[in-house]
């Protein structure tokens, strides 16, 4: 897809697709920064997919490195936006394509074999993978779950930073359970007592936090699609993944 197509909606925020194009078309330092940002945001779902596909930890590390390297060295952009504008779908499709067409090369491309190292925490990757449910055997499903959890975590971190900047970090940490999807939050009365406020005021704090969270979540999802029309569908998809559908 020509780069011009990605700017059809001038009022739409710059997306993570911009990083994909920068990796291929930008010069030197800019391309390197774009690659680091892509890797930082999306390495774990890729690593988890490879591990659940049967690759050993050290092979998954090498394959993750090789995958990002091939975004630079091969015509990866020629495959972009062949229908869906969802970055997650494109990255997963690229990964499967490269594993299929270049498995022999990727499987033997080891560290130090000419592949520039992209920074990601390999130790943390395996520690996190060890915590994944072993009842889910489908690599695609694990990829989408990891993608969803990372997306939510990035939104929570942005909220944490905003509260910290306002000198309200402790308040955020007390309210954080109301942004978690996997466990029941404490009662409003319990939080009100810890804050030293009324239940009514605490409910208002929780409401405002959730409204801000939904706004930031929509913005984060917008970063991973090409047009605003795709946002509602992607939010619905995310809700379905989190609900275990």
């Amino acid at each position: 897809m020509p780069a011009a197509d990605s700017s059809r909606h001038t009022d739409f925020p710059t997306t993570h697709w911009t990083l994909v194009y920068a990796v291929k078309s930008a010069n030197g330092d800019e391309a390197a920064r774009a690659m680091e940002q892509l890797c930082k945001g999306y390495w774990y779902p890729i690593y988890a997919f490879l591990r659940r596909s049967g690759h050993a930890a050290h092979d998954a590390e090498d394959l993750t490195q090789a995958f990002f390297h091939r975004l630079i060295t091969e015509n990866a952009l020629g495959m972009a936006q062949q229908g869906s504008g969802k970055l997650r779908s494109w990255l997963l499709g690229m990964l499967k394509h490269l594993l299929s067409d270049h498995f022999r090369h990727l499987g033997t491309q080891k560290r130090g074999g000419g592949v520039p190292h992209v920074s990601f925490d390999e130790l943390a990757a395996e520690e996190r993978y060890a915590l994944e449910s072993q009842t889910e055997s489908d690599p695609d499903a694990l990829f989408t779950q990891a993608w969803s959890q990372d997306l939510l975590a990035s939104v929570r971190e942005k909220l944490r930073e905003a509260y910290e900047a306002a000198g309200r970090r402790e308040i955020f940490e007390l309210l954080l359970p109301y942004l978690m999807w996997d466990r029941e939050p404490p009662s409003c009365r319990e939080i009100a007592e810890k804050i030293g406020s009324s239940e009514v005021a605490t409910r208002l704090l929780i409401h405002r936090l959730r409204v801000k969270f939904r706004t930031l979540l929509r913005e984060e999802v917008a970063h991973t699609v090409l047009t605003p029309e795709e946002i509602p569908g992607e939010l619905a998809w995310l809700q379905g993944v989190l609900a275990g559908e």
Side-chain angles (χ1 to χ4, degrees), residues 12 96 112 189 208:
F12 195 53
K96 290 181 177 180
R189 175 177 296 180
R208 289 173 175 169

Side-chain angles (χ1 to χ4, degrees), residues 64-81:
T64 301
Q65 292 284 351
F67 170 75
F68 283 104
H69 173 60
R70 285 179 178 271
L71 293 184
I72 305 174
T73 59
E74 295 195 356
N75 187 27
L77 291 180
M79 295 179 59
Q81 188 55 12

Side-chain angles (χ1 to χ4, degrees), residues 13-117:
T14 300
T15 74
H16 293 178
W17 278 105
T18 305
L19 298 176
V20 175
Y21 291 110
V23 165
K24 190 65 178 179
S25 61
N27 295 323
D29 292 344
E30 185 180 349
R33 285 193 296 270
M35 176 58 76
E36 287 291 337
Q37 286 182 263
L38 274 176
C39 186
K40 181 180 179 181
Y42 302 117
W43 63 264
Y44 181 72
I46 291 168
Y47 179 86
F49 176 91
L50 292 166
R51 288 290 281 118
R52 194 54 53 94
S53 296
H55 296 283
H58 65 279
D59 288 330
E61 293 167 6
D62 290 333
L63 288 166
T64 301
Q65 292 284 351
F67 170 75
F68 283 104
H69 173 60
R70 285 179 178 271
L71 293 184
I72 305 174
T73 59
E74 295 195 356
N75 187 27
L77 291 180
M79 295 179 59
Q81 188 55 12
Q82 294 298 316
S84 170
K86 302 175 182 67
L87 184 60
R88 61 177 173 82
S89 300
W90 178 73
L91 285 173
L92 183 57
M94 276 295 306
L95 179 58
K96 290 181 177 180
H97 176 76
L98 292 174
L99 285 175
S100 175
D101 285 1
H102 306 284
F103 181 82
R104 183 183 301 276
H105 174 75
L106 288 172
T108 58
Q109 184 69 64
K110 299 302 180 182
R111 230 180 296 275
V115 176
H117 187 78

Side-chain angles (χ1 to χ4, degrees), residues 65-221:
Q65 292 284 351
F67 170 75
F68 283 104
H69 173 60
R70 285 179 178 271
L71 293 184
I72 305 174
T73 59
E74 295 195 356
N75 187 27
L77 291 180
M79 295 179 59
Q81 188 55 12
Q82 294 298 316
S84 170
K86 302 175 182 67
L87 184 60
R88 61 177 173 82
S89 300
W90 178 73
L91 285 173
L92 183 57
M94 276 295 306
L95 179 58
K96 290 181 177 180
H97 176 76
L98 292 174
L99 285 175
S100 175
D101 285 1
H102 306 284
F103 181 82
R104 183 183 301 276
H105 174 75
L106 288 172
T108 58
Q109 184 69 64
K110 299 302 180 182
R111 230 180 296 275
V115 176
H117 187 78
V118 177
S119 177
F120 73 92
D121 193 336
E122 295 160 2
L123 178 60
E126 190 57 23
E127 289 179 346
R128 179 175 170 184
Y129 180 75
L131 298 176
E132 298 286 2
S133 171
Q134 298 303 309
T135 61
E136 179 55 75
S137 60
D138 182 14
D140 287 51
L142 184 56
F143 176 92
T144 58
Q145 290 167 10
W147 178 282
S148 302
Q149 292 300 330
D150 280 0
L151 191 150
L152 292 177
S154 70
V155 175
R156 294 188 194 107
E157 185 57 30
K158 287 180 180 180
L159 267 180
R160 177 182 282 108
E161 291 172 357
Y163 271 71
E164 186 169 12
R168 306 180 73 195
R169 173 69 179 263
E170 292 183 2
I171 295 294
F172 176 82
E173 297 300 340
L174 287 172
L175 299 181
L176 179 59
Y178 290 90
L179 299 179
M180 307 303 290
W181 298 67
D182 55 351
R183 58 179 179 268
E184 190 72 20
S187 68
C188 183
R189 175 177 296 180
E190 180 181 342
I191 297 298
E193 290 175 353
K194 291 181 178 179
I195 294 176
S197 181
S198 68
E199 285 191 52
V200 172
T202 301
R203 291 184 189 279
L204 182 58
L205 284 175
I206 295 169
H207 171 73
R208 289 173 175 169
L209 177 72
R210 285 173 165 169
V211 168
K212 184 61 175 176
F213 180 82
R214 288 193 293 269
T215 299
L216 290 177
L217 178 60
R218 184 179 181 86
E219 292 175 359
E220 194 68 15
V221 166

